[in-house]
Amino acid sequence: MKIRHVVVCAIALVLAAAPVVEARNQPCSGKKGGIKSCTRDGKFLCHNGTTSASKRKCSRD
């Protein structure tokens, strides 16, 4: 019975941590509305018309 309780708790912890793994920052997140496109110089253009301050580069493929 004790082992079953430990297994259930371990599974619950793994499932609870899953969204945290995917919660990394994205360019143009939040109020900027997401990525609209990529500029010629490799910056992210956001849906609100601004360019992202991200140091990451995008490609226009």
Side-chain angles (χ1 to χ4, degrees), residues 12-30:
L13 286 173
V14 169
L15 292 176
V20 174
V21 172
E22 295 184 25
R24 61 187 185 139
N25 291 335
Q26 297 289 325
C28 300
S29 60

Side-chain angles (χ1 to χ4, degrees), residues 1-57:
M1 191 71 163
K2 219 175 197 182
I3 294 174
R4 184 175 177 188
H5 182 72
V6 171
V7 170
V8 170
C9 288
I11 291 172
L13 286 173
V14 169
L15 292 176
V20 174
V21 172
E22 295 184 25
R24 61 187 185 139
N25 291 335
Q26 297 289 325
C28 300
S29 60
K31 294 179 181 178
K32 293 186 177 243
I35 300 170
K36 181 177 182 180
S37 63
C38 185
T39 63
R40 289 183 183 182
D41 58 348
K43 294 185 179 182
F44 294 95
L45 180 63
C46 306
H47 279 284
N48 72 348
T50 62
T51 55
S52 175
S54 174
K55 294 179 182 176
R56 292 172 53 191
K57 297 286 183 181

